Each structure stands twice: as structure tokens, then as C-alpha cells.
Amino acid sequence: MVLGIETSCDETAAAVVEDGVRVRSNVIASQVEFHRKYGGVVPEIASRAHLERLDSVLSEALTGAGVLLDDIDAIAVTNRPGLVGALLIGVTAAKTLSLSLDKPLLAVDHIKAHAFSPSIGLDAPPWPAVALIVSGGHTSLYEIADANTLSRVGSTIDDAAGEAFDKVAAILNLPYPGGPEVEKLARDGNPKAIAFPRTMLDDASLDFSFSGIKTAVLYQVHGPGKTSGGLEKLSQRELADIAASFQQAVIDVLIEKAMRAVRRSGLRTVVLGGGVAANRTLRTALDEACVTEGLSFYAADRAYCTDNAAMIAALGYHQFVRREFAPLDIDAHATAR
Ligand code: KG4
Ligand code: ZN
């Protein structure tokens, strides 16, 4: 029974997960309303909100799971990557619980936890698999041989896919966070209306680049070389076409790179996780591509796509089994390993 704690960005989250797969509780206090008026996450506000809310989120996770602190076998906490001040709130709480309860501490990598999120709730683990992890901070491909062996085979060289969704939403004057808003607008649009660039880098690359498409959307809205003045002139239909065409271009790149990773590795299963994996058009398109290629496909449940602590406890469980315990002097780190 692992208690997971996640405070790397703007969600204060705690969860209790049994055997790495059965979620007994999954509590998320979103801070989105605090950050919306700034158009993005303000680190100081995030840290303060974590501090104010973590106690009640932890209590709710324990009550929801029907367990007491004594029933917990270990405490798993995200200690990288993320906003250092935000991470520190969770890390300090986890250390305190570990020390006072005399239970092992598990230091969990947030991105690897996203890669493990598709295994939550499954009777048998989905690996070996290629994992496509698409979030606001990261866009990466992994080969997962088993619960202990995960290697990154590709990642973005500039913006993450979620970041591109958020920036395009800002260009279209949609509220933050933009991903779900772009998806909503795209529903009424034609994905073939505008041929936005699909940046594949070279023929063999498993890396991603999403900064060019954001500029292409900017010029589509305002006119070539212009960065303002065009939005008001567009009809609702034209806006929907831009959203749908942008979304389709991003999805085409994600699927092409995932299929390259499949061909290169010889693996026959694809798993999908991260905040952008909540996007229904992406889930359906990748599922269809896997069916065409005869591959098995597992997308993380939508509840475990955006940031949550269930995935932290799920990966923590595997570290617990390996007795990979963290010392009480662990730090919080901004960067991925
Ligand atoms: O995994 P996550 O919660 O946080 C990070 O670890 O980054 O991902 C958040 C990202 C944001 O960029 C958000 O706009 C995007 O995921 N996102 C979506 C959707 N829901 C969230 N992007 C596209 N479509 C969605 N439905
Ligand atoms: Zn995340």
C-alpha cells in the first residue's frame, strides 16, 4: 500500500495505490483558477498553494482509501523534474511522514511515472512496450523492457506538444490551460483545411520539434510575418479549422514517431500517457494506427493522464519491490535525469 505525493507543478495531489495497480484513492486539488489570469503557472503561487492544501489533500486521500497512516507501507514522492519550490513542498512532507512513521521513502521521477500510468488498473503489465509520453513539459518516447528497465529513445528538441497546444490556445485567445480548449474548438473544424508543417527532423529521428508549428499558426491567424491584428477578422468556422488542422498536424507527428520507435525496437505494444494523452482525437488516432499495424495499444485512463499522484504511487511500488529506498537527504531537482 503506497501513499503517493505529487506537487511538481500546479496540481496538489495524493493517492493510495495497492500493489502498483489498484487505485484506492486519487485526490487532485487543481490550482488552475489561481494561475489563469497570468496565462501560465506562477511558481511562487504554486508553492504557496501546495503548502496550504497538501495537508487536507493527504487526509482526503487516506480517508478515501479507507486506510490509516499505519496501513501505508511506503511513501512515494515526485522529486524531479518540476518547479523546485513546488517539488520541495511534497518532498518535505514525504520526508516528514517517512521519518515520523518509520516507513521507507521512494523518490519518483515524474516523467517515468507518466510512462507507467497506462499500467494502472491492468491485470497484467503492458510491457515490453514503446511508451509515448506527451505532456506540457515533455514529449518523449521510451522503450520499456519491464518494470525495472526503461530507456528514453527520443524527446523534443524545443517545445513540448502540450506547450504547443497551450501557445496556440493563447494565440486564439482561449483560456489557460489551452489543450482541452483547442480540442473543444477543433471538434467543429476541418483537420484538412490548412496544411500546417509536420516537422519530422531527419528520416530516422525519434526526436520531436513543435516550435515551428506555433509560428505557422501565428502567421495563419494574423497574416505572413504579422503577429497581431488578425484574430478579430476570423469567423468561428475559420478558427475551428485552424484548431483542427493544428491538432491533426501534432497528432500526425506523434503517431509517425511512435511507429518509427515500434519499427526500430521490434516491440509490439504501444502505451500512451501524459496530459495531452487526455486528447480524444489523439487516443482514437493512435489506437487506429496500432490496429492497422497489428499492435496492442494501452492509453492511460483519462483520470491518470494529467498530473496525479496515483501514477507516482504506481511507479513507487516497483521501486519498493526493488528496495530502491531514498535517503532522507534527497533533494528536489528541476531537470529530468
Ligand atoms: O501531464 P500534465 O498534466 O503536466 C505536465 O507534466 O506537463 O500535462 C499538461 C498539458 C498541458 O499543456 C495541457 O494543455 C495538455 O496537457 N492537455 C491537453 C489536453 N488536456 C491537457 N492537450 C490536448 N488536448 C487535451 N484534451
Ligand atoms: Zn506531468
Side-chain angles (χ1 to χ4, degrees):
M1 195 86 76
V2 178
L3 172 65
I5 300 175
E6 154 66 40
T7 64
S8 68
C9 192
D10 61 342
E11 323 278 7
T12 313
V16 176
V17 177
E18 209 177 341
D19 299 334
V21 286
R22 271 187 300 287
V23 178
R24 299 274 297 248
S25 65
N26 183 40
V27 179
I28 303 170
S30 170
Q31 305 175 3
V32 106
E33 72 273 23
F34 302 153
H35 301 286
R36 184 170 284 132
K37 66 173 176 243
Y38 304 101
V41 177
V42 182
E44 289 77 6
I45 294 177
S47 308
R48 187 166 311 183
H50 287 312
L51 188 57
E52 283 164 1
R53 295 161 146 211
L54 187 53
D55 264 356
S56 57
V57 167
L58 280 167
S59 308
E60 213 182 307
L62 293 166
T63 314
V67 297
L68 301 170
L69 273 176
D70 257 356
D71 304 320
I72 297 294
D73 295 301
I75 296 111
V77 65
T78 309
N79 81 320
R80 76 187 318 149
L83 303 167
V84 167
L87 285 165
L88 272 175
I89 308 299
V91 168
T92 306
K95 285 180 184 177
T96 308
L97 286 170
S98 167
L99 180 66
S100 56
L101 300 169
D102 195 21
K103 311 264 168 138
L105 179 66
L106 307 158
V108 173
D109 180 305
H110 179 92
I111 311 299
K112 289 184 182 167
H114 271 303
F116 275 74
S117 63
S119 69
I120 295 174
L122 296 184
D123 291 332
W127 14 96
V130 164
L132 173 62
I133 304 310
V134 211
S135 76
H138 301 268
T139 300
S140 303
L141 278 163
Y142 292 89
E143 285 177 18
I144 308 182
D146 54 45
N148 306 331
T149 326
L150 171 148
S151 53
R152 192 169 63 209
V153 293
S155 61
T156 182
I157 59 168
D158 42 52
D159 291 355
E163 201 176 344
F165 269 92
D166 293 336
K167 287 178 177 170
V168 164
I171 294 169
L172 300 177
N173 205 19
L174 299 170
Y176 170 87
E181 299 291 332
V182 171
E183 179 178 22
K184 216 184 296 167
L185 180 60
R187 264 183 233 147
D188 304 319
N190 173 7
K192 295 191 176 134
I194 304 144
F196 285 124
R198 276 104 170 122
T199 307
M200 297 295 176
L201 302 170
D202 65 59
D203 284 354
S205 175
L206 296 180
D207 291 331
F208 303 88
S209 167
F210 291 112
S211 67
I213 191 167
K214 156 199 81 191
T215 313
V217 171
L218 190 69
Y219 292 162
Q220 181 69 34
V221 169
H222 300 295
K226 297 200 183 128
T227 56
S228 64
L231 192 61
E232 304 69 36
K233 297 178 195 142
L234 295 175
S235 67
Q236 199 55 29
R237 174 73 216 208
E238 287 169 319
L239 289 171
D241 283 350
I242 291 173
S245 301
F246 158 77
Q247 178 173 269
Q248 193 56 51
V250 171
I251 289 173
D252 285 353
V253 173
L254 293 172
I255 291 180
E256 165 64 19
K257 299 283 175 162
M259 292 304 146
R260 283 184 190 179
V262 163
R263 287 193 290 273
R264 184 180 297 185
S265 64
L267 295 167
R268 303 301 297 161
T269 300
V270 175
V271 302
L272 174 69
V276 182
N279 185 291
R280 290 195 166 85
T281 315
L282 169 62
R283 296 168 79 89
T284 308
L286 187 52
D287 191 8
E288 284 168 2
C290 287
V291 169
T292 306
E293 297 292 323
L295 307 168
S296 302
F297 174 64
Y298 300 92
D301 191 294
R302 289 183 82 243
Y304 311 127
C305 285
T306 43
D307 288 346
N308 65 89
M311 67 181 190
I312 305 303
L315 175 52
Y317 165 80
H318 294 291
Q319 296 177 195
F320 178 82
V321 169
R322 293 199 296 275
R323 304 188 67 75
E324 239 177 64
F325 303 143
L328 279 173
D329 63 354
I330 53 158
D331 263 329
H333 302 274
T335 54
R337 220 186 263 283

